[in-house]
Amino acid sequence: MNAALIVIIVFICISLYLGVKAKKGRSMDLDEWAVGGRGLGSFFIFILLAGEMNTTFTFLGGSGWAYDKGIPAAYMIIYLPLSIIVMYWLAPAIWKYAKQHKLVSQSDFFKSKYDSRFLGVLVTIIGVISMVPYLVLQLKGLGMIVSVASYGTISSTTAIIIGASILTVYVMISGIHGSAWTAVLKDFMIFFIVLFLGLYLPFHYYGGIQPMFEAVENVKPGFFTLPKEGLSISWFISASLLSAVGGLVWPHLFGAIYSSKSGKAIRKNTIMQPIYSLMLLFVFFVGFTAIEQVPGLKGGEIDLALLQLSIQTFDPWFVGLIGAAGLLTALVPGSMLIMSTATSLSLNVYKEVQPSASNKQVALLAKLLVPVIAIIAVYFTINGGNTIVTLLLLGYGFIAQLLPALLFSFMKRNFVTKYGAAAGMITGVGAVMYTTINNSSFGTLFPSLPSVIKDLDIGIIALFFNVVVMILVSMMTRKLAVSKVDSVDIA
Amino acid sequence: MKLIHILSIIPFVLALGLLPLVNKVQIYVLGMPFLLFWVVIWTVLISGILYVVYKLDPANQ
């Protein structure tokens, strides 16, 4: 048994202990289990919301993109602070409305705002088909990190099964409290490890940050300038804006928002969150350092840039620490995703089909759905192949389609009807499916347009159709059904 | 439109709007290519802006 494996096993035990101990004598009704009884303080809300930035993607995708694409990866740094500005205004309004109406899931929000059970079910379906690929990606990343960091002692499949089992146990027992406590350990570890790697590796191999950039510029001229076509300035701006607003509509983020003690606590938290996103900068430093030190990584291998460089630089015990941090970056978002999925299915599908079901039955079903969702996710993780990346792109595209109806619902006089909201979402989802499956871009759809337009993020098309259809259908159905006017002033 | 709303919009307009100019600057600042420094400095500025907005926002009295 090598030192890396021992370190990883120790952290698996610690995370399981923290996750289970978080229950601490609480009676876990649905409100306590899914949204922490709406009593989580500033610290835990910060960890849950800010920590949501640190998924396995931070470890693998961030360094991989820097390694492969260069400066276009910087959009990941700027979109997070921009999304937090949107969060400052939007999240407290969502929290306030949810508290007034005792909402538990994201679907509840749309169901209540538009007074439509159908819309609640539709949002649940969109949420579930978006969240499962996201969960699968976390488990896939977990398998990759633990397998490489344990020098192959733990196979990827074994790591995935262990990770999913830990998730299942502590989510069933402690709900969001388990996520909050393991998130504390995760963020503490990832903060110091990423900071250390991002500073140590460039100094170790190049003698500093600037010499590292200059060395990379020598072997890859123009690597730190946005190109004229492709990942150009117009792509950078449109991707940053879309990610900034689209990333806020994930159902599990609604769960974190609902669990806050107050709207003021959410607003206060936003002040430090942008600084937190600077951790990605140090992940990029590692990716840039790896370009010359671990040359030749192609395709899916680029995601291993950080791990490969670490293995050739550090002793096994430290590589084990990196592996343990990677494991935790999958567990925390994974637990939030699995909990949101289970809550939505139980509350917004089962309860709709079986209205006589008691709250106790709904809560029990939500907990029993956790292992079912975990098994489905593990199956897709092990057997899904690379199609999961396509599914995740679909997921991001799908979930962004909830945004227009969400924003319009906060207007003082919301003219969007439940029919308009549903039609817009369905149209947007259809447009996302068409453009993703056909690998379309503005360039392939409109080849004669200038590159400024052709390089725009394709997600804009789906949102455009969504909004147009939503407005048209709302105008046609305004007399059929007056949407529930029940707005909360955002400002 | 209140001051806190204007402050909230500024980063969107300036951080992204000035990118065509920023992309042409070929110098290193704090050891980083200028474009990377640009997104880093805006990340810090946004934190400061949110602090000011939080302090001025009547909702946080």
Side-chain angles (χ1 to χ4, degrees), chain A residues 157-181:
Chain A
T157 302
T158 306
I160 289 162
I161 292 169
I162 291 171
S165 304
I166 295 170
L167 270 183
T168 301
V169 169
Y170 83 66
V171 168
M172 283 183 79
I173 293 173
S174 304
I176 200 167
H177 295 283
S179 302
W181 274 100

Side-chain angles (χ1 to χ4, degrees), chain A residues 99-169:
Chain A
K99 192 186 180 199
Q100 283 170 352
H101 296 81
K102 299 190 184 327
L103 309 181
V104 175
S105 70
Q106 182 191 55
S107 309
D108 283 347
F109 183 90
F110 286 90
K111 178 185 165 188
S112 174
K113 272 279 187 183
Y114 287 93
D115 196 16
S116 166
R117 292 165 63 189
F118 170 74
L119 200 61
V121 174
L122 178 66
V123 169
T124 299
I125 293 167
I126 293 173
V128 170
I129 58 176
S130 303
M131 283 192 289
V132 170
Y134 200 7
L135 175 61
V136 168
L137 195 80
Q138 298 307 317
L139 292 175
K140 215 175 178 63
L142 181 150
M144 205 186 283
I145 291 168
V146 173
S147 168
V148 173
S150 68
Y151 296 83
T153 316
I154 302 176
S155 74
S156 179
T157 302
T158 306
I160 289 162
I161 292 169
I162 291 171
S165 304
I166 295 170
L167 270 183
T168 301
V169 169

Side-chain angles (χ1 to χ4, degrees), chain A residues 303-367:
Chain A
D303 291 337
L304 293 173
L306 183 146
L307 290 170
Q308 296 284 14
L309 185 60
S310 299
I311 280 175
Q312 75 177 41
T313 310
F314 299 111
D315 290 340
W317 69 269
F318 190 76
V319 174
L321 267 184
I322 295 169
L327 171 93
L328 288 164
T329 59
L331 288 184
V332 177
S335 66
M336 294 293 285
L337 286 161
I338 215 166
M339 197 160 39
S340 290
T341 306
T343 305
S344 283
L345 287 173
S346 177
L347 192 63
N348 303 106
V349 177
Y350 173 72
K351 178 84 172 165
E352 293 300 338
V353 175
Q354 196 68 268
S356 60
S358 69
N359 285 343
K360 201 173 177 180
Q361 286 173 314
V362 171
L364 179 65
L365 179 65
K367 290 172 193 174

Side-chain angles (χ1 to χ4, degrees), chain A residues 77 81-82 84-85 88-89 209-210 213 224-226 233 236-237 241 264 267-268 270-271 274-275 277-278 491, chain B residues 4-5 8 11-12 16 19-20 23 26 28 31 33 35-36 40 42-43 46-47 50 53-54 57 59-61:
Chain A
I77 293 182
L82 291 175
I84 290 160
I85 295 176
Y88 178 94
W89 295 102
I209 304 287
Q210 186 165 332
F213 279 114
F224 300 116
T225 306
L226 290 170
I233 292 170
F236 191 101
I237 293 173
L241 288 174
K264 188 176 173 181
R267 281 189 288 264
K268 195 172 185 178
T270 59
I271 296 168
I275 300 290
S277 70
L278 281 181
Chain B
I4 51 176
H5 297 131
S8 300
F12 287 90
L16 297 177
L19 271 178
N23 199 39
Q26 300 289 320
Y28 287 91
L35 202 150
L36 191 57
V40 167
W42 269 105
T43 299
I46 286 170
S47 240
L50 282 170
V53 169
Y54 177 81
D57 190 347
N60 300 316
Q61 297 312 309

Side-chain angles (χ1 to χ4, degrees), chain A residues 242-278:
Chain A
L242 265 182
S243 304
V245 290
L248 293 172
V249 208
W250 281 97
H252 58 295
L253 277 184
F254 271 60
I257 290 167
Y258 290 177
S259 61
S260 177
K261 205 159 45 178
S262 69
K264 188 176 173 181
I266 296 172
R267 281 189 288 264
K268 195 172 185 178
N269 267 319
T270 59
I271 296 168
M272 282 308 289
Q273 281 185 32
I275 300 290
Y276 210 65
S277 70
L278 281 181

